[in-house]
Amino acid sequence: MNWQEFMALLVLATAMSFSPGPNTTLSTALAANHGLKRALPFVCAVPVGWGALLSLCALGLGALLLAVPLLGWAIKVIGVAYLLWLASKIARSRQLGKADAARMNVTFWQGAALQFVNIKAWMLALAIVSGWIAGRSDPALRMAVVLPVMLAFAFVSNLAYALAGSLLRDWLSGPEGTARRLLWFNRAMALVLVITALWMLYL
């Protein structure tokens, strides 16, 4: 891989990883509601799940998805339904800390599985496989370069959003801990997820 290809990869990784999406929205919301420590499992789950998705696409899953349109639609429908379910949970959460943990809790494995129904994640994986790996004379070597770079971007971008969410915790608690601001913040995050779900549906 020459330096021009590597720089293009970095540009794509930056644009896709740091732009708002299901992962960054959830990282922000989880940290704002429960603190950075509680958000870290999800932040770590994103690169794990996405790395598995990229690896499977490089091994041929991406080609199968493109060859069977019905499979792509199934992923969209499941992804949209899951995002809408998460949005409903977030929109109803208005308590900081453990009191509302059951209402808004995304486990490590749920976070990893989310990547497989996240159309944005699929688009990025397919773009990278087709542009940097598939049909090349050295696919394994290219994968060895691409995978760590993309995992780092996935982790850092979600950590940055989680840090932003955690820094908002005191302000979101509102006057005398009423958490009224938190409720509206959660509703805004839920709206972002709904918009993302609708965007995924029309891709």
Side-chain angles (χ1 to χ4, degrees):
M1 183 183 300
N2 58 42
W3 70 270
Q4 292 98 330
E5 288 179 299
F6 187 71
M7 290 303 297
L9 176 67
L10 294 182
V11 170
L12 177 65
T14 301
M16 293 295 284
S17 299
F18 285 91
S19 58
N23 293 327
T24 53
T25 301
L26 284 171
S27 293
T28 307
L30 287 169
N33 282 268
H34 301 302
L36 182 61
K37 185 177 180 180
R38 285 282 303 277
L40 282 178
F42 178 80
V43 170
C44 294
V46 172
V48 170
W50 195 83
L53 175 63
L54 177 62
S55 299
L56 289 173
C57 282
L59 292 172
L61 182 60
L64 177 63
L65 180 68
L66 294 174
V68 185
L70 187 61
L71 182 58
W73 269 104
I75 291 172
K76 280 186 180 182
V77 170
I78 294 170
V80 167
Y82 186 59
L83 288 182
L84 293 176
W85 177 70
L86 286 174
S88 70
K89 290 178 68 178
I90 292 173
R92 291 179 285 118
S93 183
R94 62 176 300 161
Q95 299 291 327
L96 287 171
K98 295 181 179 179
D100 211 32
R103 179 167 287 175
M104 186 183 157
N105 183 37
V106 181
T107 67
F108 177 91
W109 294 113
Q110 284 176 324
L114 173 62
Q115 309 318 303
F116 288 85
V117 292
N118 179 353
I119 297 301
K120 183 181 177 184
W122 276 102
M123 289 173 59
L124 180 56
L126 292 172
I128 288 175
V129 170
S130 63
W132 280 267
I133 298 170
R136 306 289 181 148
S137 59
D138 54 347
L141 182 59
R142 285 172 172 269
M143 187 67 175
V145 173
V146 169
L147 185 59
V149 169
M150 296 310 300
L151 294 185
F153 270 86
F155 176 76
V156 171
S157 62
N158 282 278
L159 180 61
Y161 275 85
L163 283 170
S166 67
L167 291 173
L168 289 172
R169 276 175 61 78
D170 288 340
W171 181 79
L172 290 173
S173 66
E176 300 179 358
T178 59
R180 186 173 299 170
R181 292 171 182 164
L182 179 68
L183 177 62
W184 286 106
F185 173 82
N186 285 337
R187 287 175 176 173
M189 293 293 98
L191 180 61
V192 170
L193 283 181
V194 170
I195 292 171
T196 302
L198 294 176
W199 170 74
M200 284 170 51
L201 192 61
Y202 287 100
L203 282 176

